Amino acid sequence: MSERPLTVVQLLPALEGGGVERGTLEVARELVRRGHSSWVISGGGQLVSRLTGQGSQHLQWPIGAKSPLTLRWVSRLRNFLGEQRVDILHARSRLPAWVAWRAWKGLPETDRPRFVTTVHGLYSVSRYSSVMTRGERVIAVSDTARRYILDNYPQVPPARIVTIPRGVDPAVFPHGYRPPESWARAWFEQYPFLLERYVLTLPGRLTRLKGHTDFIELMARLVAAGLPVHGLIVGGEDPRRRRYAHGLHEQIRRRGLGAHITFTGHRMDVRDIYAVSNLVLSLSSKPESFGRSVVEALYMGVSVAGYDHGGVGEVLTRLFPAGRVPVGDLDALERTVRELHARPPEIPPSRDYDLQAMLDATLDLYRELAG
């Protein structure tokens, strides 16, 4: 039996890039593929053209702007929901969720769409964050996110929480992937010293939580031990944290590691960089809700070492237990890296976190709610 076409609206602050944005586009594309009507409301960004090119419609409303004026969009959204006869209203971030919830509550119960929220992060526990638990169904992106909700918002009935892990497309991150010859030639022309090195890659923007200081300390220990290693820090500088980025460069200079650690800046070819890396690291000091970069690397068959907490620990426990490291234990981190260097493991293909499973579960939820 064919599905009844649904009208689904997703809300988030902007479409610049990141895990929340990526998941929004993936669901929007799948909705269109299955013949549904897909809308996204955001403050805009570089991914809008990709979204609309895939058949979704976009409303550029600044619903993520941290200003009292943002609430003026409540009545406009309420009118839009009625005009479009929206079936599913799906909020993916806190301030847009407040706008959505107020608009939704202001409609007669018989005229309301079904309200869904996704807990993408382990937010600070507060009334402001509690809006992410007010959906008629609350999607948790991992078991870690589910535990966070149950531990911090005990008023949420467990039956309202649906765990749908984030997904990675195995066609985009295929096991055993090798970069095109043209890419490899350009890469090694730029970084010829990597040909003779065991390459450790730390992906993520230059923010304090990503563990760059621990990475620098790890590299100092490995270099002092005489291992033929080189570290890549792959991520753009946060304009609001230039002082932090400058401090990292200064740490590396002071410790004499300038020839052993390279900043690549923001890159769109992270898949290729994973493929030419020997080890990918995840060293966030605070637990994350999901370890997307960990899954991507492991799907490709690249070893990962990461701190054993949050979503990263959850993924490593399932896919690569040898890479788990107690949080902040630099001795254990060094020991784990040395073991992986001495005995590179074979990582079998996995389908535990497939994108299609995430999309199927999300659309099944929409269909169930819409009746």
Side-chain angles (χ1 to χ4, degrees), residues 44-301:
Q46 61 183 349
L47 296 178
V48 170
S49 59
R50 184 185 304 178
L51 173 81
T52 55
Q54 293 170 350
S56 292
Q57 300 183 76
H58 180 258
L59 291 176
Q60 189 160 329
W61 297 356
I63 55 171
K66 293 181 179 177
S67 162
L69 294 176
T70 301
L71 294 178
R72 75 184 186 273
W73 295 100
V74 170
S75 59
R76 191 164 176 182
L77 176 59
R78 188 180 299 133
N79 293 336
F80 175 80
L81 296 176
E83 291 166 2
Q84 295 296 324
R85 300 180 62 84
V86 171
D87 296 290
I88 302 291
L89 180 64
H90 187 168
R92 292 181 173 272
S93 184
R94 289 175 290 180
L95 190 49
W98 277 109
V99 174
W101 184 77
R102 286 176 173 240
W104 181 78
K105 288 289 284 185
L107 288 167
E109 286 192 29
T110 54
D111 295 338
R112 289 176 185 167
R114 306 307 298 271
F115 185 41
V116 177
T117 54
T118 293
V119 174
H120 283 280
L122 308 181
Y123 316 109
S124 59
V125 180
S126 64
R127 181 175 179 275
Y128 175 61
S129 300
S130 71
V131 71
M132 300 310 297
T133 68
R134 297 191 185 193
E136 294 177 281
R137 290 292 186 278
V138 180
I139 297 174
V141 300
S142 61
D143 290 335
T144 295
R146 181 183 178 86
R147 284 196 302 272
Y148 158 84
I149 298 166
L150 293 173
D151 290 347
N152 295 293
Y153 300 97
Q155 73 278 11
V156 180
R160 270 189 24 222
I161 306 170
V162 182
T163 304
I164 304 179
R166 300 299 83 189
V168 169
D169 189 345
V172 176
F173 294 92
H175 193 268
Y177 170 81
R178 302 312 303 166
E181 186 178 331
S182 58
W183 183 93
R185 188 185 312 114
W187 174 259
F188 288 114
E189 282 177 1
Q190 185 175 6
Y191 304 115
F193 44 85
L194 295 181
L195 285 165
E196 305 295 331
R197 295 290 181 267
Y198 182 86
V199 179
L200 297 87
T201 294
L202 181 69
R205 296 186 76 182
L206 301 190
T207 62
R208 196 172 300 278
L209 299 178
K210 291 297 184 181
H212 298 99
T213 298
D214 286 3
F215 183 69
I216 293 168
E217 173 62 26
L218 170 67
M219 290 300 302
R221 293 182 180 202
L222 298 175
V223 170
L227 271 68
V229 295
H230 195 93
L232 297 177
I233 295 177
V234 181
E237 183 179 303
D238 189 326
R240 299 166 298 173
R241 296 176 175 86
R242 289 201 173 97
R243 195 168 173 182
Y244 172 71
H246 176 76
L248 293 178
H249 286 277
E250 184 60 22
Q251 279 185 56
I252 290 168
R253 186 193 65 77
R254 274 201 324 268
R255 305 196 68 169
L257 295 171
H260 303 283
I261 298 177
T262 297
F263 290 83
T264 70
H266 174 69
R267 301 282 302 213
M268 297 296 289
D269 53 355
V270 175
R271 175 181 65 172
D272 300 284
I273 296 174
Y274 288 161
V276 295
S277 301
N278 300 100
L279 180 67
V280 172
L281 292 122
S282 180
L283 304 177
S284 294
S285 57
K286 287 181 66 177
E288 298 180 2
S289 59
F290 184 67
R292 182 184 285 271
S293 64
V294 174
V295 177
E296 290 171 347
L298 290 172
Y299 259 42
M300 295 171 62

